[in-house]
Amino acid sequence: MSFPENLPSDSMVYDVVVVGSCMTDLVSYTPRLPKAGETIHGHKFFIGFGGKGANQCIQAARLGAKSAMVSKVGKDSFGDNYIENFKSNGVSTVYVGQTDEASTGVAPITVNDEGQNAIVIVAGANLLLNSEDLERASKVIDCAKVVVCQLEIRPAITLEALKIARKAGVKTIFNPAPAIADLDPEFYKETDVFCCNETEAEILTGIEVCNVENAGKAGSVLLEKGCGSVIITLGAEGSVLMSRDKRTPHYIPTKKVKAVDTTILTNLYQRLVIEEKRIQEEVGESRDEG
């Protein structure tokens, strides 16, 4: 295990700290998604930088937020390249550890001509992020304006990170993906903004989210579980927002566009949520703790 030397001082403050995953995307473009047991020809391939956590962190930095990543990659070429990618995007890598006990996480992705995708996640080193790593990063988590988490690392570590942030009075944003049907109830209570898509909402609430009305019903269930506010994204149909203070579902439609690849859209949406929370913090308009 190795971490960069020269850790920042306790006074280092980041707008956004993301505790989460780094995945090397292995992306194939095909006319359609293959059926089980079928081999088809693709027409394009590339290797990219993915992982929900890393995507959100880099997008934060590109939008001007001072950002730090807390994660783990392998001591391999994918891991080395990932750290360099963070640096080139202005993301602090002080708390990105490298391990020789597992490879860097990978995500083979197939994208069809309509922009729909199928993804397999091999988490690798992401699953080795542990409590010692969080303790090492606790100072920057405590001082952040927003902490963002997902479920592509071990759920127990994600929950621990949320608790550290909440104890310090830091705003938390949680994306429950990949969704877990029996998600620990504490996740809801430790989350200021709970952001999920319609499939995740259905898994977590048992309500089929096939329209705006049902999204509102699912959102109400999530609020009852303890979330400060809920955002349910509905793909091309937009999103529904609710909060403890404003329980009436607020529907936000989207403009129609041609989809190229939907893989990163949820992460981008969350990044916009993060930016709004950061701006509200700066002008003193963030909501009071519930």
Side-chain angles (χ1 to χ4, degrees), residues 170-206:
V170 178
K171 298 297 181 184
T172 56
I173 298 177
F174 175 54
N175 172 214
I180 302 173
D182 57 347
L183 185 67
D184 189 321
E186 290 191 73
F187 274 100
Y188 304 101
K189 300 173 184 177
E190 301 294 340
T191 301
D192 286 304
V193 180
F194 193 95
C195 186
C196 58
N197 64 24
E198 62 267 57
T199 302
E200 293 151 2
E202 180 177 346
I203 291 172
L204 294 168
T205 67

Side-chain angles (χ1 to χ4, degrees), residues 185 188-189 194 205 207 216-230 242-244 247:
Y188 304 101
K189 300 173 184 177
F194 193 95
T205 67
I207 297 173
K217 293 178 181 179
S220 293
V221 172
L222 294 172
L223 288 174
E224 289 298 325
K225 290 176 180 286
C227 306
S229 58
V230 173
M242 305 173 65
S243 69
R244 291 183 202 165
R247 290 181 176 264

